[in-house]
Amino acid sequence: MILAAATNESLAQMSDYLIYSSMAVYTLAFLAHIAEWVFGSRSKVGRTAAALTRNDAGGSAPAVTVQVKQDGGTAVLDKPRVVTRSSAGARDVPDGPGAAGGTAQGDLYGRIAVSLTALAFLIEAAGVVTRAFSVQRAPWGNMYEFSTTFSTVAVGAYLGFLVARKNVRWIGLPLVTTVLLDLGMATTWLKTPSDQLVPALDSYWLWIHVSTAIFCGAVFYLGAVATLLYLFRDSYENKLATGGNPGSFARSVLERLPSAASLDKFSYRVNAAVFPLWTFTIIAGAIWAGDAWGRYWGWDAKEVWSFITWVGYAAYLHARATAGWKGRKAAYIALIAFGCFLFNYYGVNIFVNSKHSYAGV
């Protein structure tokens, strides 16, 4: 018995060490992502590549041609353009060259950043698994465990998109920044000693309900980042289309992002894909509540805010299909819905008296 307790304590310490180690590697990844944006921005090649892909309708760059000599003559070929269309009548704007600005140096730093992010993910995942072994249960019985698992899943989802060859490297910098903030809060304010579950949580439904909630939150987060960047990029494109002159910082950052149509499409697809799973999460929670407390729904604060989050995303999906509510109006609804998810996690767990308040802080 004493030996088992000592072993569990050693595993808990190892888990803490791995989490702190992952934070160090995430910090290096953060610096590499910064270098990707900075050196890609300063490079002359990067500025040229950005000019080649800029929307001609904005009036900021002339049409680009390629000259090819053939048998003493010259044939002029139009530069091919890859256009992303959001809907009929919408702006036709090509995607930007990416955070690296289309430069070899910027791309090198970007690849280093992704490699460091993958390494940090593996270390953090090992810390989460070690925590599970130390407590001999699912590693999300309190807010510290939930936070570390949440950031692990969010990074895993991002890396999964990259493995699937999706153009999402632009998420890297905001994602790593958020993960560092999340782990900083977890290790500073939410840290609690490893312990066994309260009786209400000691169920196989913990693996089903909470794991799906974590996955949904991680994917909702990626959708929220895309939605927020969509609003900035859409304003930038509107300014160019109306003859405006954005500042040098706005050009350096926003012209390298995907077009507003691409960002809007990405956020819609990820939110729509995970919404049915969030519905299942609420249903699974109700079934678990029936087993634990003898009722399926009791208007507890966590239950209410989970339902409010569901309504928010349902309204967003409905707005996307409603004339006059597509674009920015629907994006605002999506951000409000994600804000409800965040309050459901931090606000309810810490500040509200609830049967689900297992913060342990």
Side-chain angles (χ1 to χ4, degrees), residues 124-338:
E124 186 183 10
V128 171
V129 173
T130 305
R131 176 83 172 193
F133 280 113
S134 71
V135 294
Q136 300 180 5
R137 56 167 173 78
W140 41 74
N142 52 54
M143 287 188 68
Y144 169 77
E145 296 173 354
F146 190 100
S147 295
T148 54
T149 306
F150 176 85
S151 58
T152 303
V153 175
V155 176
Y158 164 70
L159 295 175
F161 279 117
L162 290 178
V163 170
R165 299 186 180 278
K166 301 299 182 181
N167 180 24
V168 295
R169 209 162 83 183
W170 44 270
I171 299 181
L173 180 57
L175 172 64
V176 172
T177 304
T178 306
V179 167
L180 283 171
L181 292 173
D182 175 69
L183 292 179
M185 293 178 58
T187 55
T188 303
W189 295 304
L190 305 179
K191 183 70 180 298
T192 56
S194 57
D195 200 358
Q196 295 304 311
L197 296 172
V198 296
L201 282 178
D202 191 9
S203 169
Y204 63 89
W205 281 105
L206 176 69
W207 293 92
I208 301 173
H209 172 67
V210 182
S211 63
T212 54
I214 292 174
F215 179 79
C216 289
V219 179
F220 279 150
Y221 164 76
L222 297 181
V225 172
T227 301
L228 187 62
L229 292 178
Y230 156 75
L231 292 174
F232 286 112
R233 173 77 189 204
D234 184 64
S235 296
Y236 175 77
E237 291 178 6
N238 278 332
K239 197 166 192 177
L240 288 179
T242 55
N245 185 27
S248 58
F249 179 78
R251 286 188 179 277
S252 174
V253 175
L254 296 177
E255 72 184 2
R256 288 185 280 165
L257 290 173
S259 67
S262 293
L263 292 169
D264 186 44
K265 184 184 299 183
F266 175 82
S267 62
Y268 169 70
R269 286 180 174 178
V270 296
N271 287 329
V274 82
F275 179 73
L277 191 58
W278 181 249
T279 304
F280 169 78
T281 301
I282 296 177
I283 296 173
I287 297 174
W288 187 8
D291 290 342
W293 300 315
R295 88 294 186 278
Y296 295 102
W297 191 268
W299 297 103
D300 184 73
K302 179 74 72 172
E303 298 168 351
V304 170
W305 278 96
S306 295
F307 180 68
I308 291 175
T309 302
W310 184 90
V311 171
Y313 279 106
Y316 163 73
L317 296 177
H318 179 71
R320 288 277 313 194
T322 303
W325 277 89
K326 294 180 180 179
R328 298 183 68 88
K329 291 181 180 180
Y332 292 137
I333 298 176
L335 291 179
I336 291 173
F338 185 70

Side-chain angles (χ1 to χ4, degrees), residues 64-79:
V64 179
T65 61
V66 179
Q67 293 186 346
V68 181
K69 291 185 177 181
Q70 293 180 342
D71 299 329
T74 301
V76 180
L77 305 177
D78 291 335
K79 178 183 179 295

